[in-house]
């Protein structure tokens, strides 16, 4: 079974290898920050028709989902929640009236999540009324207060964003002085690098952005961007999508040169649009204080106990009786073929791209005008012509220094918008990794009888009954969800974790109901009456075991040194089983670790000792 | 579960005709030797357990089990079936020499068959292989041919031929999609062959066509093919393990299936051990991991006094391994359960996850399952739909959601399973518009320049029959990483004191644009170059280094750092936030440096601090101050 386990390499190993990918330029640039500035006026609490949640409730649900996603995906980011238009005031120096800082800028944790939950639903509205109330509005003061929050932060912030949630398009009811002050303060904020977004909510009679807010929000990233969403967010889903699209700063994994040929180079950013989210690794804590503990790894000489510096060590591999030694940097250099970058090999029609040639999740590239000017134009021309002619570009890709090359297909994707005019698919090329010959296994196909038309038609009915519309974000990872629910329960001292809904489980009841008699009808067509597809060959194994085989099968085979040497000479050690090899170890007392050692390592070590 | 083996005999012609060569070409002997070397190199370093034997013919001596009464002479069994090892590599390098005789390659084939049969007696194996490398330039007696073919068939032996010339001049050069890559040396057509070679070639064809029903000639390669595309040795690579399971649709419809990993990223298997630099002994290096508190003294903590925790936002939640195991998500074993069916196009828009593709068949012995699975495959194919399934490899592994696509080939049908993303895996980024952006819209002439470039760089060409041929089949290339690693290991193993060799030219060539394409696209490329102005933007702000932080006094301060025993890289390697925070501290330092600069400006420009002996006293004093102030923030 060993081979199968390779199917699932230790997750840890993979993480280690990918570490560099995920970081992007995060470490250099500092932390992201996000301030939710939420209108707490009476209007926000008005419930929608048909028991739809109020704008305030919708906003709070949205804030909560951002908090949880931050906890899971980027726990270093800072988030703040500030209300304006409140009766009560609460801010660092209490210098602003009607501004209530519910959370100042900090990384979200379990307590903050609990705080948000207090504001949810019917009870939440009552709680908000009690603690904050609704009063006068001065957006200028609120913005000023937020700018103080930013300046109080001593950490380096890379990305500063402020989102205003409101359903009032004219918050000061024509008070020109207040409007002016708000505009000035907004301008000040923008000058310090804060991006201001408006998440406007439904208002009877429509939300008119041009009345006031068009002067408050930041201009779009570039002149051609769609800019303000004209339609307000009606549904929580819409709102969450809009917030999510803005909330994460897109960060390129790397910036590379894309060479079309000698002297024709453009710059592209490489983005990860999908990567397997894994459980974060555990932290070691001191038992008594729960303080995090750091680990230090040291190498020292076994005989004289001296600390070994990197220069005092080399790398080695053993093949049979031969040990091959290299310097650490030689081991790295072996992997170097060329400098990082994308190099165009040529073009191929899309039908040459095989669906089943998948070895790694794809990446995405978009031009980097700031690195090489003219990149965007060149890139757009390539994108248009490839997409027009239904072609992909084949490139050689070296992601970073001392990394061996892989070939990739650049598959063009043009921008598409959804009904609400937001971007459904961004413009750029998908970078699809192509397999080498080594990555393709030889599978001997099973050839069997094929189905008759009648059988196929019956199956079509079954397929038809169980149709659904697949969406890539429809399934949550139950393993991760359970993990975070467990942590949440422990962090918040809950008796037991909230149950998760495992969306990966088939809804058997519903499927059976939808199929009705179809399943039986198909079985009657395809299977003979006495056939039981559940009958596994496992039965055979059972009888073998019940015969006491397991106990008898394992007679202690102890190898004499002579025999072992024989094996070494003939290079047939590999034929022995691991327990035998381990026994050989134990009795010979070669003093080599035999636990957790791979078979090849056992063989190598044994060969070394016996051929001395 | 012991895996059955695939023993293989390499049978190489070392006769004198192999040493002949045309001007400018390497003799066949050298080419064949390289093929064998490359092959054994791969087997050794990939730690393939399949046994390999080596039979030479045309040798001066005779050493084989059949030699009797002047029969089977000049054939030497150089190595019996054994796991390939480094010694074999060394032997090939030093002992494999051209012989002065000629021997009948059919005789050699018989010796190989005899060797395989005798040495695999009573052992389990999947199939037997013989690889014959010869120029066919010898008189053969064909009278035994039928008997030989017959016993090859009976013994289930597969044959591969490697010849200096293509088996069928015209056909091989451009026919068949699986032909040699673009970089393969131009194949020498069938003319110019000796009478023996022509006759031999006929026999090779005869044997190969009798052994296999179709595509038989695909197992006849040229030496140059073999050298460049070692992947053709794949034939003898290991087969993936079968994964028996049941495909379920609801609770009442079950189909027995078997999955095989068909595509997966092959990684380097062996890791590097750490050895002591002088003794090269692994045991001389001991590794120790200590735990310490994050306080000033770095107080050490025993491993037993630590517990496990996880970050939950800003909190760290203690969560013991035991609790974690007890509370974690539990999967109820292996499964391949249909959740529903959906349009293929909806799935194709979604990113594919994971690192593998699984092919799903019905079990070999179960025709009812085959019929049921076939019905599903065909139904999905005609409806252009795919099954969305929950896939769990076993009880310990995490469940996945993936898509099973129908795949109908001429010879077989199967489902292809690929993993799909979970919601948590996706990042929705919005990118600024490109197409309707006035700044970036390419002009008509720019577009036509790109069109011309694309035309000149197509990697798919039409052959005489109008069939399009892919001239750059990436999936036929061996991963250069392995080739390079094996080359270096081999080299270092043989010459422990030499520096590593450069990358082999053919390997480099494989990574370049095909020469024909490269030549063809020059004009179009020049046109693109003139029509698209591309200019590297000069950076205003590079990553901040100490020099930026300290301004023009950087060199000077670096000098101070060095002399004061504080490595300046320590400053560079700190996250900028850290450095920035401490700028105020630096201000003090800079005051000192200003004072110093005033005193000895000229010397400072030379940036060698030691020159400044004139101000030694003052400097010594300020150094001490600086040092203490730096240490505060660096440690």
């Amino acid at each position: 079974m060993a081979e199968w386990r390779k199917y699932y390499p230790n997750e840890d190993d993979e993480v280690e290898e990918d570490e560099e990918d995920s970081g992007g330029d995060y470490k250099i640039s500092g932390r992201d920050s996000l301030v939710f500035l939420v209108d707490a006026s009476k209007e926000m609490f008005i419930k929608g028709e048909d028991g739809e949640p109020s704008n305030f409730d919708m906003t709070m649900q949205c804030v909560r989902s951002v908090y949880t996603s931050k906890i899971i995906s980027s726990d270093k980011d800072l988030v703040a929640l500030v209300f304006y238009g409140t009766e009560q005031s609460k801010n660092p120096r209490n210098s602003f009236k009607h501004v209530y800082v519910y959370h100042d800028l900090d990384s979200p944790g379990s307590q903050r999540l609990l705080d948000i939950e207090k504001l949810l639903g019917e009870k939440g509205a009552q709680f908000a009324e009690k603690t904050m109330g609704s009063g006068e509005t001065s957006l200028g003061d609120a913005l000023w207060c937020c700018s103080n929050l930013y300046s109080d932060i001593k950490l380096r912030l890379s990305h500063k964003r402020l989102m205003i949630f409101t359903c009032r398009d004219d918050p000061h009811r024509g008070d020109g002085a207040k409007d002016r002050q708000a505009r000035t303060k907004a301008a000040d904020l923008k000058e310090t690098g804060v991006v201001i977004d408006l998440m406007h909510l439904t208002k009877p009679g429509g939300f008119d952005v041009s009345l006031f807010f068009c002067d408050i929000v930041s201009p779009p990233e570039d002149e051609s961007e769609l800019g303000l969403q004209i339609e307000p967010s009606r549904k929580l889903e819409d709102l969450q999508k809009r917030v999510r699209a803005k909330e994460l700063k897109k960060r390129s994994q790397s910036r590379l040169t894309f060479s079309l040929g000698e002297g024709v180079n453009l710059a592209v950013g490489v983005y990860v649009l999908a990567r397997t989210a894994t459980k974060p690794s555990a932290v070691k804590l001191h038992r008594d204080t729960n303080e995090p503990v750091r680990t230090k790894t040291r190498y020292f000489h076994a005989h004289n106990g001296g600390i070994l510096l990197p220069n005092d060590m080399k790398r080695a591999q053993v093949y049979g009786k031969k040990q091959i030694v290299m310097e650490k940097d030689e081991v790295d250099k072996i992997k170097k073929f060329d400098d990082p970058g994308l190099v165009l090999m040529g073009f191929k029609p899309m039908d040459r791209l095989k669906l089943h040639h998948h070895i790694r999740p794809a990446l995405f590239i978009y031009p980097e005008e700031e690195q090489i000017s003219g990149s965007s134009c060149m890139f757009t021309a390539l994108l248009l012509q490839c997409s027009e002619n239904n072609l992909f570009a084949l490139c050689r890709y070296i992601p970073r220094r001392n990394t061996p090359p892989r070939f990739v297909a650049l598959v063009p994707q043009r921008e598409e918008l959804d009904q609400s005019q937001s971007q459904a698919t961004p413009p750029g090329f998908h970078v699809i990794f192509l397999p080498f010959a080594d990555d393709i296994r030889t599978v001997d196909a099973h050839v069997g009888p094929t189905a008759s038309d009648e059988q196929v038609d019956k199956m079509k009915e079954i397929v038809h009954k169980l149709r659904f519309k697949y969406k890539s974000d429809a399934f949550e990872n139950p393993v991760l969800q359970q993990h975070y629910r467990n942590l949440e329960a422990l962090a918040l001292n809950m008796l037991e974790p909230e149950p998760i809904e495992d969306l990966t489980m088939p809804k058997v009841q519903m499927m059976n109901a939808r199929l009705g008699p179809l399943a039986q009808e198909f079985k009657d067509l395809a299977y003979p009456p006495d056939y039981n597809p559940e009958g596994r060959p496992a039965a055979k194994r059972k009888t073998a075991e019940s015969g006491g085989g397991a106990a008898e099968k394992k007679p202690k085979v102890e190898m004499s040194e002579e025999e072992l040497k024989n094996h070494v000479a003939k290079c047939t050690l590999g034929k022995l089983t691991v327990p035998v090899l381990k026994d050989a170890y134990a009795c010979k007392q070669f003093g080599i670790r035999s636990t957790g050692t791979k078979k090849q390592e056992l063989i190598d070590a044994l060969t070394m000792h016996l051929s001395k | 579960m012991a895996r059955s083996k695939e023993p293989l005999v390499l049978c190489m012609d070392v006769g004198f005709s192999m040493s002949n060569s045309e001007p400018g070409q390497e003799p066949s002997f050298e080419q064949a030797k390289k093929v064998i070397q490359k092959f054994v190199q791969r087997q050794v370093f990939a730690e393939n357990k399949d046994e390999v034997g080596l039979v030479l013919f045309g040798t001066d001596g005779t050493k084989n089990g059949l030699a009797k009464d002047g029969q089977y002479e000049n054939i030497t069994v150089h190595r019996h079936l054994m796991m390939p090892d480094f010694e074999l590599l060394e032997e090939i390098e030093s002992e494999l020499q051209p012989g002065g005789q000629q021997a009948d390659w059919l005789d050699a084939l018989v010796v190989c068959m005899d060797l395989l049969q005798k040495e695999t007696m009573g052992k389990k194996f999947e199939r037997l292989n013989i690889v014959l490398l010869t120029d066919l330039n010898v008189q053969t007696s064909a009278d035994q041919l039928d008997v030989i073919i017959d016993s090859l068939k009976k013994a289930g032996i597969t044959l591969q031929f490697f010849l200096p010339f293509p088996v069928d001049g015209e056909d091989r050069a451009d026919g068949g999609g699986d032909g040699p890559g673009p970089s393969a040396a131009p194949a020498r057509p069938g003319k110019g062959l000796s009478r023996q070679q022509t006759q031999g070639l006929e026999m090779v064809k005869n044997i190969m066509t009798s052994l296999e029903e179709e595509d038989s000639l695909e197992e006849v390669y040229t030496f140059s093919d073999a050298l460049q595309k070692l992947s053709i040795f794949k034939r003898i690579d290991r087969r993936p393990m079968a994964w028996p399971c049941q495909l379920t649709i609801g609770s009442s419809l079950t189909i027995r299936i078997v999955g095989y990993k068909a595509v997966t990223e092959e990684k380097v298997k062996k890791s590097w051990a750490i050895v002591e630099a002088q003794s090269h002994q692994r045991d001389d290096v001991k590794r120790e991991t200590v735990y310490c508190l994050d306080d000033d003294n770095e107080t050490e903590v025993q491993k037993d006094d630590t517990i496990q925790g996880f970050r939950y936002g800003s909190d760290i939640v203690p969560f013991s391994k035991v609790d974690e195991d007890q509370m974690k998500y539990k999967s109820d074993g292996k499964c391949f359960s249909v959740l529903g069916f959906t349009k293929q196009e909806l799935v194709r828009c979604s990113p594919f996850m994971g690192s593998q593709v699984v092919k799903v068949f019905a079990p070999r012995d179960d025709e009812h399952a085959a019929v049921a699975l076939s019905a599903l495959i065909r139904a999905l194919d005609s409806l252009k739909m795919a099954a969305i399934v929950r896939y769990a490899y076993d009880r310990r592994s995490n469940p996945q959601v993936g898509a099973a696509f129908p795949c109908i080939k001429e010879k077989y049908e199967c489902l292809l399973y690929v993993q799909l993303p979970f919601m948590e895996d996706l990042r929705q980024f919005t990118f600024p518009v490109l197409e309707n952006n006035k700044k970036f819209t390419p002009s008509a002439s720019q577009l036509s320049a790109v069109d011309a470039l694309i035309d000149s760089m197509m990697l798919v060409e039409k052959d005489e029959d109008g069939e399009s041929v892919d001239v750059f089949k990436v999936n036929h290339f061996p991963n250069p990483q392995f080739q390079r690693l094996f080359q270096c290991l081999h080299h270092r193993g043989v010459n422990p004191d030499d520096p590593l060799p450069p990358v082999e030219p053919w390997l480099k060539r494989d990574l370049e644009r095909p020469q024909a394409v490269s030549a063809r696209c020059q004009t179009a490329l020049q046109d693109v170059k003139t029509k698209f102005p591309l200019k590297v933007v000069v950076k205003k702000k590079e990553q901040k280094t100490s020099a930026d932080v300290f301004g023009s006094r950087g060199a000077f301060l670096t000098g101070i750092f060095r002399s004061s025993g504080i490595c300046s890289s320590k400053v560079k390697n700190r996250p900028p936030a850290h450095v920035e925070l401490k700028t105020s501290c630096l201000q003090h330092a800079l005051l000192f440096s200003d004072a110093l600069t005033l005193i000895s400006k000229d010397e400072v420009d030379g940036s060698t601090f030691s020159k400044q002996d004139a101000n030694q006293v003052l400097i010594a004093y300020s150094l001490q101050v600086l040092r203490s102030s730096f240490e505060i923030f660096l440690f």
Side-chain angles (χ1 to χ4, degrees), chain B residues 435-492:
Chain B
E435 266 179 60
N436 300 313
N437 186 323
K438 277 182 232 107
K439 267 193 287 181
F440 307 138
T441 310
S443 67
S445 84
Q446 282 178 322
L447 284 178
S448 69
V450 168
D451 253 346
L453 181 71
I454 291 177
D455 279 346
S456 71
M457 288 183 74
M458 284 308 289
L459 296 171
V460 175
E461 291 162 5
K462 288 258 190 296
D463 67 1
E464 291 125 52
D465 307 329
E467 296 267 319
S468 54
V469 181
D470 196 331
V471 296
F472 201 73
K473 283 202 160 185
V474 172
N475 57 319
H476 285 205
F477 298 172
N479 187 339
Q481 181 185 6
F482 298 137
Q483 299 301 326
R484 173 73 178 144
L485 175 65
F486 297 164
Q487 181 208 359
C488 290
L489 284 169
H490 187 175
H491 184 89
R492 179 54 56 87

Side-chain angles (χ1 to χ4, degrees), chain A residues 175-199:
Chain A
D175 181 337
K178 276 190 177 173
D179 278 0
R180 249 193 321 279
Q181 187 216 10
R183 280 194 208 106
T184 321
K185 287 297 153 202
D188 290 352
L189 269 172
K190 283 183 269 190
E191 203 151 275
T192 60
V194 178
V195 178
I196 304 180
D197 288 314
L198 176 65
M199 295 294 155

Side-chain angles (χ1 to χ4, degrees), chain A residues 7 110 294 318 440 502 531, chain B residues 261 270 298 315 329 366:
Chain A
Y7 249 92
S110 51
R294 282 194 298 143
V318 178
I440 298 173
D502 186 352
Y531 177 78
Chain B
K261 188 144 84 161
K270 205 167 177 128
E298 297 199 317
D315 313 324
Y329 177 86
D366 190 337

Side-chain angles (χ1 to χ4, degrees), chain B residues 315-360:
Chain B
D315 313 324
I316 300 178
V317 182
F319 195 12
S320 71
K321 194 112 196 89
V322 183
D323 286 344
E324 194 198 352
D325 282 342
Q326 207 177 15
M327 290 171 75
K328 76 173 179 204
Y329 177 86
K330 299 212 178 51
S331 140
D332 45 2
K334 68 159 98 167
C335 75
F336 199 81
S337 315
V338 172
L339 304 178
F341 300 97
T342 195
K343 289 233 171 65
Q344 281 181 22
E345 61 192 61
L346 288 176
V347 185
R348 280 172 200 258
C349 297
S350 158
F352 289 170
M353 305 300 290
S355 57
Q356 59 167 349
V357 175
V358 179
K359 277 189 176 173
V360 176

Side-chain angles (χ1 to χ4, degrees), chain A residues 4 7-8 11 71 108 110 113 222 224 244 250 260 273-275 277 279-280 283 285-287 293-300 302-303 312-316 318 322-323 325 330 334 344-348 352 356 358-360 366 370-373 385 391 394 396 414 423 437-442 444 446 451 455 460 466-468 470 475 477 481 486 502 504-505 511-512 523 527-528 531 533-534 571 575 600 604, chain B residues 47 49 51 85 231 234 239-243 251-252 254 256 260-262 264-266 270 273 275 277 280 283-284 286 288-292 294 298 301 304-310 312-315 324 327 329 338 341-342 353-357 362 366 368 371 374 382 385 390-391 393 398 422-425 427-428 430-432 435 437 451 454 457 459 468 470 472 475 477-479 484 492-493 511 513 534-535 537:
Chain A
W4 263 104
Y7 249 92
Y8 290 95
E11 279 165 0
I71 285 176
S110 51
L113 210 54
D222 64 284
S224 60
R244 212 188 303 156
K250 25 170 220 295
L260 302 190
L273 298 188
R275 96 189 258 112
K279 251 195 264 188
V283 208
L285 304 175
H286 190 230
R287 185 183 291 281
V293 171
R294 282 194 298 143
T295 52
K296 283 198 293 192
T297 303
R298 280 197 295 244
Y299 292 93
F300 59 90
H303 301 308
D312 303 328
M313 294 178 283
K314 289 186 179 176
R315 301 293 180 270
V318 178
K322 189 90 184 177
Q323 175 169 273
V325 179
E330 284 178 322
I334 288 179
L344 179 65
M345 298 280 124
F347 299 87
K348 286 188 190 182
R352 294 274 164 177
H356 59 275
H358 165 79
I359 47 166
R360 252 192 230 181
Y366 187 87
E370 289 101 76
Q371 303 254 310
I372 296 179
S373 68
Q385 294 322 84
L391 299 171
L394 188 84
R396 185 182 72 207
R414 291 165 79 166
Q423 197 171 59
D438 310 72
D439 305 322
I440 298 173
R441 306 273 180 113
T442 322
D444 284 333
H446 295 191
Q455 289 158 338
K460 279 189 194 166
L466 300 177
R467 269 173 319 156
F468 77 111
Y470 172 79
F475 296 95
N477 183 343
Q481 292 297 330
N486 291 345
D502 186 352
T504 69
M505 287 302 272
M511 288 170 82
N512 288 348
K523 281 195 279 187
Y527 295 156
Y531 177 78
E534 260 117 297
C571 287
K575 293 185 171 173
Q600 193 56 48
D604 291 344
Chain B
E47 304 201 301
K49 304 287 186 307
E51 292 174 324
D85 53 17
S231 49
K234 266 188 68 58
R239 303 253 174 302
M241 201 73 155
W243 178 72
S251 63
S252 53
T254 303
R256 285 177 60 204
Y260 295 94
K261 188 144 84 161
T264 189
E265 191 172 339
E266 198 69 40
K270 205 167 177 128
V275 296
H280 289 189
D283 298 346
D284 285 350
K286 287 271 174 274
E288 184 195 50
T289 305
V290 290
Y291 301 89
C292 56
D294 204 5
E298 297 199 317
V301 175
D304 292 344
D305 287 333
T306 62
I307 49 169
Q308 181 186 268
F310 285 94
Y312 184 74
S314 53
D315 313 324
E324 194 198 352
M327 290 171 75
Y329 177 86
V338 172
F341 300 97
T342 195
M353 305 300 290
S355 57
Q356 59 167 349
V357 175
D366 190 337
H368 310 303
V371 168
S374 163
S382 79
M385 294 187 82
R390 171 190 159 101
Y391 166 99
Y393 172 65
N398 296 338
F422 283 118
M423 183 267 283
E424 294 89 337
D425 304 340
R427 298 170 190 190
Q428 262 133 0
T430 317
F431 291 84
E435 266 179 60
N437 186 323
D451 253 346
I454 291 177
M457 288 183 74
L459 296 171
S468 54
D470 196 331
F472 201 73
N475 57 319
F477 298 172
N479 187 339
R484 173 73 178 144
R492 179 54 56 87
L511 297 170
R513 186 178 295 171
L534 290 161
K535 230 168 97 193
V537 178

Side-chain angles (χ1 to χ4, degrees), chain B residues 8-223:
Chain B
L8 172 139
V9 179
L10 292 164
C11 180
M12 179 175 160
D13 189 350
V14 298
F16 62 78
S17 68
M18 289 285 283
S19 300
N20 299 338
S21 67
E22 291 196 359
Q25 284 225 345
E26 231 180 341
S28 298
F29 173 82
E30 290 302 328
Q31 291 193 35
K33 181 173 169 177
K34 272 191 199 160
V35 171
I36 289 196
Q37 233 167 8
K38 286 277 146 55
F39 169 72
V40 176
Q41 192 183 80
R42 237 174 112 93
Q43 297 296 93
V44 170
F45 293 118
E47 304 201 301
N48 195 311
K49 304 287 186 307
D50 291 338
E51 292 174 324
V52 172
L54 178 60
V55 172
L56 307 175
F57 62 104
T59 48
D60 297 333
T62 302
K63 200 179 118 199
N64 68 71
L66 297 177
K68 216 171 109 189
D69 307 332
Q71 293 242 355
Y72 299 103
E73 282 198 344
N74 304 109
I75 301 175
T76 304
V77 176
H78 189 88
R79 189 180 165 106
H80 292 268
L81 281 185
M82 253 193 242
M83 241 165 63
D85 53 17
F86 205 83
E87 263 166 46
L88 178 57
L89 264 181
E90 282 174 316
E91 275 171 32
I92 293 171
E93 179 128 336
S94 56
E95 290 171 32
L96 193 53
Q97 299 296 340
Q101 302 292 323
Q102 289 286 69
D104 185 342
W105 59 268
L106 271 180
D107 282 351
L109 184 58
V110 175
V111 170
C112 294
M113 288 161 62
D114 176 62
L115 180 85
L116 273 177
Q117 233 138 23
K118 279 189 187 141
E119 297 188 11
T120 56
M121 195 104 67
K123 289 184 196 167
K124 268 211 291 186
F125 54 83
E126 203 155 276
R127 74 174 97 195
L128 304 169
N129 305 282
I130 295 174
V131 175
L132 209 66
L133 303 99
T134 174
D135 61 357
L136 299 174
N137 209 349
V138 69
Q139 189 57 47
T140 42
S141 47
D143 43 326
Q144 294 291 309
L145 196 57
D146 291 340
V147 185
I148 294 175
I149 292 175
D150 207 43
S151 41
L152 278 172
K153 274 190 188 165
K154 270 200 198 119
I157 295 174
T158 59
L159 265 186
Q160 279 180 303
F161 278 93
F162 290 83
L163 308 175
F165 42 82
V167 63
D168 220 329
E170 292 106 321
D171 281 10
R172 288 289 302 167
D174 46 27
D178 291 2
S183 44
R188 235 187 333 145
K191 53 190 161 185
L193 297 186
S194 69
R195 197 178 49 81
Q196 286 102 328
Q197 286 177 317
T198 322
Q199 190 197 3
L201 204 51
E202 279 315 306
M203 275 197 274
V204 169
K205 286 189 199 170
N206 190 350
I207 298 178
M208 293 310 279
T209 30
S210 333
L211 282 181
E212 297 185 43
E213 291 107 51
E214 49 187 320
D215 294 342
S216 52
L217 294 184
E218 285 195 356
E219 291 303 330
V220 183
Y221 306 96
T222 65
F223 292 147

